[in-house]
Amino acid sequence: NIKIDNWHAISTYSPYDKAGVNNDTCDLFGSNTVTITNGFSYCHDDAFCIKSHKFAWKGEVYDVSYNDCISYAVDGGNGIDLGYELNENVRNLSYKNMYIVRSNGTRGEMRRGAIALHNAAEGTVDGVTYENIYIEDPREFGFHMAVLESEYSLGTDPVTKENLYWTKPGHVRNVKVK
């Protein structure tokens, strides 16, 4: 039961990354029953990103809606990103009245899109709606959807130091673009 309204986030250039990216502004990990409205995200990586499993964070993601949000990805990143780390199931997501000023693809292997759906782990994505999305300046893809194997679905548990990896990607179904 998370509600975030009327917020503004500015993520700075990352001095730890040669390309200056890897600074997301609004990632949800294993969250459910979430409403994010009237947000502004200025980032150097992903603006609005959903992950169901990354390192020690894990959990299904469901009943999430983004409404009336603006994103601007400066040096790299997706405007709306679902994935890569989706080892748990994701369902019932809604993106409505979004304005993606810019998404940027600094490295081709990242598959950067204004709207990106990247399932690179074994979870199933089921029920995603994109409605009334305005895209102004996509530097790589306007819309990129893929089920793929990716090095970005690898990780090490920060506590146990155990390698966490999955090799077979899951499924995507019931995606609507209005």
PDB file of all heavy atoms in Angstrom, residues 90-93 117 124-130 145 171-177:
ATOM      1  N   VAL A  90       5.716 -10.824 -12.227  1.00  0.00           N
ATOM      2  CA  VAL A  90       5.264  -9.430 -12.243  1.00  0.00           C
ATOM      3  C   VAL A  90       3.910  -9.410 -12.933  1.00  0.00           C
ATOM      4  O   VAL A  90       3.756  -9.984 -14.013  1.00  0.00           O
ATOM      5  CB  VAL A  90       6.272  -8.547 -13.018  1.00  0.00           C
ATOM      6  CG1 VAL A  90       5.752  -7.126 -13.145  1.00  0.00           C
ATOM      7  CG2 VAL A  90       7.637  -8.569 -12.356  1.00  0.00           C
ATOM      8  N   ARG A  91       2.915  -8.738 -12.329  1.00  0.00           N
ATOM      9  CA  ARG A  91       1.586  -8.708 -12.944  1.00  0.00           C
ATOM     10  C   ARG A  91       0.841  -7.430 -12.581  1.00  0.00           C
ATOM     11  O   ARG A  91       1.096  -6.810 -11.558  1.00  0.00           O
ATOM     12  CB  ARG A  91       0.772  -9.936 -12.552  1.00  0.00           C
ATOM     13  CG  ARG A  91       0.395 -10.007 -11.094  1.00  0.00           C
ATOM     14  CD  ARG A  91      -0.334 -11.316 -10.772  1.00  0.00           C
ATOM     15  NE  ARG A  91      -0.816 -11.337  -9.408  1.00  0.00           N
ATOM     16  CZ  ARG A  91      -0.093 -11.629  -8.349  1.00  0.00           C
ATOM     17  NH1 ARG A  91       1.186 -11.933  -8.482  1.00  0.00           N
ATOM     18  NH2 ARG A  91      -0.628 -11.619  -7.157  1.00  0.00           N
ATOM     19  N   ASN A  92      -0.081  -7.075 -13.463  1.00  0.00           N
ATOM     20  CA  ASN A  92      -0.987  -5.936 -13.272  1.00  0.00           C
ATOM     21  C   ASN A  92      -0.248  -4.613 -13.060  1.00  0.00           C
ATOM     22  O   ASN A  92      -0.300  -4.015 -11.998  1.00  0.00           O
ATOM     23  CB  ASN A  92      -1.959  -6.190 -12.104  1.00  0.00           C
ATOM     24  CG  ASN A  92      -2.803  -7.412 -12.329  1.00  0.00           C
ATOM     25  OD1 ASN A  92      -3.097  -7.782 -13.467  1.00  0.00           O
ATOM     26  ND2 ASN A  92      -3.173  -8.072 -11.246  1.00  0.00           N
ATOM     27  N   LEU A  93       0.411  -4.165 -14.127  1.00  0.00           N
ATOM     28  CA  LEU A  93       1.108  -2.880 -14.106  1.00  0.00           C
ATOM     29  C   LEU A  93       0.421  -1.922 -15.068  1.00  0.00           C
ATOM     30  O   LEU A  93      -0.018  -2.333 -16.143  1.00  0.00           O
ATOM     31  CB  LEU A  93       2.564  -3.041 -14.533  1.00  0.00           C
ATOM     32  CG  LEU A  93       3.409  -4.045 -13.770  1.00  0.00           C
ATOM     33  CD1 LEU A  93       4.812  -4.064 -14.335  1.00  0.00           C
ATOM     34  CD2 LEU A  93       3.441  -3.716 -12.308  1.00  0.00           C
ATOM     35  N   LEU A 117      10.632  -3.093 -22.014  1.00  0.00           N
ATOM     36  CA  LEU A 117      10.199  -4.264 -21.264  1.00  0.00           C
ATOM     37  C   LEU A 117      11.215  -5.351 -21.554  1.00  0.00           C
ATOM     38  O   LEU A 117      11.280  -5.866 -22.669  1.00  0.00           O
ATOM     39  CB  LEU A 117       8.795  -4.703 -21.690  1.00  0.00           C
ATOM     40  CG  LEU A 117       8.069  -5.662 -20.757  1.00  0.00           C
ATOM     41  CD1 LEU A 117       6.588  -5.684 -21.078  1.00  0.00           C
ATOM     42  CD2 LEU A 117       8.632  -7.041 -20.746  1.00  0.00           C
ATOM     43  N   THR A 124       7.437 -14.524 -14.909  1.00  0.00           N
ATOM     44  CA  THR A 124       6.467 -14.229 -15.961  1.00  0.00           C
ATOM     45  C   THR A 124       5.932 -12.819 -15.756  1.00  0.00           C
ATOM     46  O   THR A 124       5.558 -12.447 -14.646  1.00  0.00           O
ATOM     47  CB  THR A 124       5.304 -15.235 -15.912  1.00  0.00           C
ATOM     48  OG1 THR A 124       5.822 -16.530 -16.213  1.00  0.00           O
ATOM     49  CG2 THR A 124       4.225 -14.887 -16.916  1.00  0.00           C
ATOM     50  N   VAL A 125       5.916 -12.047 -16.825  1.00  0.00           N
ATOM     51  CA  VAL A 125       5.298 -10.720 -16.828  1.00  0.00           C
ATOM     52  C   VAL A 125       3.926 -10.893 -17.446  1.00  0.00           C
ATOM     53  O   VAL A 125       3.811 -11.359 -18.578  1.00  0.00           O
ATOM     54  CB  VAL A 125       6.139  -9.715 -17.640  1.00  0.00           C
ATOM     55  CG1 VAL A 125       5.428  -8.369 -17.721  1.00  0.00           C
ATOM     56  CG2 VAL A 125       7.528  -9.559 -17.041  1.00  0.00           C
ATOM     57  N   ASP A 126       2.884 -10.499 -16.711  1.00  0.00           N
ATOM     58  CA  ASP A 126       1.516 -10.734 -17.172  1.00  0.00           C
ATOM     59  C   ASP A 126       0.629  -9.534 -16.833  1.00  0.00           C
ATOM     60  O   ASP A 126       0.423  -9.234 -15.664  1.00  0.00           O
ATOM     61  CB  ASP A 126       0.948 -11.988 -16.508  1.00  0.00           C
ATOM     62  CG  ASP A 126      -0.388 -12.416 -17.087  1.00  0.00           C
ATOM     63  OD1 ASP A 126      -0.852 -11.801 -18.067  1.00  0.00           O
ATOM     64  OD2 ASP A 126      -0.962 -13.378 -16.547  1.00  0.00           O
ATOM     65  N   GLY A 127       0.154  -8.851 -17.870  1.00  0.00           N
ATOM     66  CA  GLY A 127      -0.778  -7.754 -17.668  1.00  0.00           C
ATOM     67  C   GLY A 127      -0.110  -6.405 -17.480  1.00  0.00           C
ATOM     68  O   GLY A 127      -0.022  -5.896 -16.372  1.00  0.00           O
ATOM     69  N   VAL A 128       0.371  -5.835 -18.574  1.00  0.00           N
ATOM     70  CA  VAL A 128       0.988  -4.507 -18.545  1.00  0.00           C
ATOM     71  C   VAL A 128       0.228  -3.624 -19.526  1.00  0.00           C
ATOM     72  O   VAL A 128       0.000  -4.016 -20.670  1.00  0.00           O
ATOM     73  CB  VAL A 128       2.479  -4.558 -18.949  1.00  0.00           C
ATOM     74  CG1 VAL A 128       3.103  -3.167 -18.873  1.00  0.00           C
ATOM     75  CG2 VAL A 128       3.248  -5.544 -18.086  1.00  0.00           C
ATOM     76  N   THR A 129      -0.165  -2.428 -19.080  1.00  0.00           N
ATOM     77  CA  THR A 129      -0.863  -1.480 -19.947  1.00  0.00           C
ATOM     78  C   THR A 129      -0.087  -0.174 -20.011  1.00  0.00           C
ATOM     79  O   THR A 129       0.276   0.391 -18.975  1.00  0.00           O
ATOM     80  CB  THR A 129      -2.291  -1.197 -19.419  1.00  0.00           C
ATOM     81  OG1 THR A 129      -3.003  -2.428 -19.357  1.00  0.00           O
ATOM     82  CG2 THR A 129      -3.022  -0.227 -20.332  1.00  0.00           C
ATOM     83  N   TYR A 130       0.183   0.277 -21.240  1.00  0.00           N
ATOM     84  CA  TYR A 130       0.794   1.578 -21.492  1.00  0.00           C
ATOM     85  C   TYR A 130      -0.282   2.407 -22.174  1.00  0.00           C
ATOM     86  O   TYR A 130      -0.733   2.060 -23.260  1.00  0.00           O
ATOM     87  CB  TYR A 130       2.001   1.449 -22.423  1.00  0.00           C
ATOM     88  CG  TYR A 130       3.086   0.531 -21.914  1.00  0.00           C
ATOM     89  CD1 TYR A 130       3.198  -0.771 -22.389  1.00  0.00           C
ATOM     90  CD2 TYR A 130       4.010   0.975 -20.979  1.00  0.00           C
ATOM     91  CE1 TYR A 130       4.207  -1.613 -21.942  1.00  0.00           C
ATOM     92  CE2 TYR A 130       5.027   0.145 -20.527  1.00  0.00           C
ATOM     93  CZ  TYR A 130       5.106  -1.149 -21.013  1.00  0.00           C
ATOM     94  OH  TYR A 130       6.111  -1.982 -20.575  1.00  0.00           O
ATOM     95  N   MET A 145      10.870  -4.209 -26.534  1.00  0.00           N
ATOM     96  CA  MET A 145      10.402  -5.311 -25.713  1.00  0.00           C
ATOM     97  C   MET A 145      11.158  -6.558 -26.140  1.00  0.00           C
ATOM     98  O   MET A 145      11.248  -6.861 -27.325  1.00  0.00           O
ATOM     99  CB  MET A 145       8.900  -5.529 -25.889  1.00  0.00           C
ATOM    100  CG  MET A 145       8.367  -6.635 -25.001  1.00  0.00           C
ATOM    101  SD  MET A 145       6.570  -6.744 -24.956  1.00  0.00           S
ATOM    102  CE  MET A 145       6.238  -7.500 -26.532  1.00  0.00           C
ATOM    103  N   HIS A 171       8.564 -15.470 -19.444  1.00  0.00           N
ATOM    104  CA  HIS A 171       7.557 -15.186 -20.462  1.00  0.00           C
ATOM    105  C   HIS A 171       6.986 -13.789 -20.260  1.00  0.00           C
ATOM    106  O   HIS A 171       7.026 -13.234 -19.168  1.00  0.00           O
ATOM    107  CB  HIS A 171       6.416 -16.205 -20.348  1.00  0.00           C
ATOM    108  CG  HIS A 171       6.883 -17.611 -20.414  1.00  0.00           C
ATOM    109  ND1 HIS A 171       7.141 -18.248 -21.608  1.00  0.00           N
ATOM    110  CD2 HIS A 171       7.181 -18.499 -19.440  1.00  0.00           C
ATOM    111  CE1 HIS A 171       7.570 -19.468 -21.357  1.00  0.00           C
ATOM    112  NE2 HIS A 171       7.594 -19.651 -20.050  1.00  0.00           N
ATOM    113  N   VAL A 172       6.407 -13.262 -21.336  1.00  0.00           N
ATOM    114  CA  VAL A 172       5.680 -11.993 -21.305  1.00  0.00           C
ATOM    115  C   VAL A 172       4.347 -12.235 -21.985  1.00  0.00           C
ATOM    116  O   VAL A 172       4.305 -12.811 -23.075  1.00  0.00           O
ATOM    117  CB  VAL A 172       6.452 -10.876 -22.047  1.00  0.00           C
ATOM    118  CG1 VAL A 172       5.614  -9.605 -22.102  1.00  0.00           C
ATOM    119  CG2 VAL A 172       7.792 -10.599 -21.386  1.00  0.00           C
ATOM    120  N   ARG A 173       3.246 -11.790 -21.347  1.00  0.00           N
ATOM    121  CA  ARG A 173       1.940 -11.934 -21.974  1.00  0.00           C
ATOM    122  C   ARG A 173       1.018 -10.815 -21.515  1.00  0.00           C
ATOM    123  O   ARG A 173       1.218 -10.203 -20.479  1.00  0.00           O
ATOM    124  CB  ARG A 173       1.344 -13.312 -21.694  1.00  0.00           C
ATOM    125  CG  ARG A 173       1.164 -13.638 -20.249  1.00  0.00           C
ATOM    126  CD  ARG A 173       0.566 -15.051 -20.090  1.00  0.00           C
ATOM    127  NE  ARG A 173       0.573 -15.420 -18.701  1.00  0.00           N
ATOM    128  CZ  ARG A 173       1.065 -16.532 -18.224  1.00  0.00           C
ATOM    129  NH1 ARG A 173       1.612 -17.412 -19.014  1.00  0.00           N
ATOM    130  NH2 ARG A 173       1.008 -16.795 -16.952  1.00  0.00           N
ATOM    131  N   ASN A 174      -0.008 -10.576 -22.339  1.00  0.00           N
ATOM    132  CA  ASN A 174      -1.048  -9.574 -22.043  1.00  0.00           C
ATOM    133  C   ASN A 174      -0.470  -8.160 -21.877  1.00  0.00           C
ATOM    134  O   ASN A 174      -0.665  -7.504 -20.856  1.00  0.00           O
ATOM    135  CB  ASN A 174      -1.872  -9.973 -20.810  1.00  0.00           C
ATOM    136  CG  ASN A 174      -2.576 -11.283 -21.015  1.00  0.00           C
ATOM    137  OD1 ASN A 174      -3.186 -11.510 -22.057  1.00  0.00           O
ATOM    138  ND2 ASN A 174      -2.488 -12.167 -20.032  1.00  0.00           N
ATOM    139  N   VAL A 175       0.211  -7.697 -22.902  1.00  0.00           N
ATOM    140  CA  VAL A 175       0.724  -6.329 -22.930  1.00  0.00           C
ATOM    141  C   VAL A 175      -0.169  -5.514 -23.852  1.00  0.00           C
ATOM    142  O   VAL A 175      -0.421  -5.908 -24.995  1.00  0.00           O
ATOM    143  CB  VAL A 175       2.189  -6.278 -23.431  1.00  0.00           C
ATOM    144  CG1 VAL A 175       2.674  -4.840 -23.577  1.00  0.00           C
ATOM    145  CG2 VAL A 175       3.090  -7.063 -22.498  1.00  0.00           C
ATOM    146  N   LYS A 176      -0.648  -4.362 -23.364  1.00  0.00           N
ATOM    147  CA  LYS A 176      -1.520  -3.492 -24.161  1.00  0.00           C
ATOM    148  C   LYS A 176      -0.884  -2.120 -24.270  1.00  0.00           C
ATOM    149  O   LYS A 176      -0.426  -1.551 -23.289  1.00  0.00           O
ATOM    150  CB  LYS A 176      -2.889  -3.340 -23.495  1.00  0.00           C
ATOM    151  CG  LYS A 176      -3.638  -4.640 -23.366  1.00  0.00           C
ATOM    152  CD  LYS A 176      -4.927  -4.442 -22.598  1.00  0.00           C
ATOM    153  CE  LYS A 176      -5.573  -5.786 -22.348  1.00  0.00           C
ATOM    154  NZ  LYS A 176      -6.694  -5.682 -21.421  1.00  0.00           N
ATOM    155  N   VAL A 177      -0.893  -1.601 -25.486  1.00  0.00           N
ATOM    156  CA  VAL A 177      -0.410  -0.239 -25.737  1.00  0.00           C
ATOM    157  C   VAL A 177      -1.576   0.537 -26.333  1.00  0.00           C
ATOM    158  O   VAL A 177      -2.098   0.176 -27.381  1.00  0.00           O
ATOM    159  CB  VAL A 177       0.797  -0.242 -26.712  1.00  0.00           C
ATOM    160  CG1 VAL A 177       1.273   1.179 -26.953  1.00  0.00           C
ATOM    161  CG2 VAL A 177       1.925  -1.111 -26.163  1.00  0.00           C
TER     162      VAL A 177
END
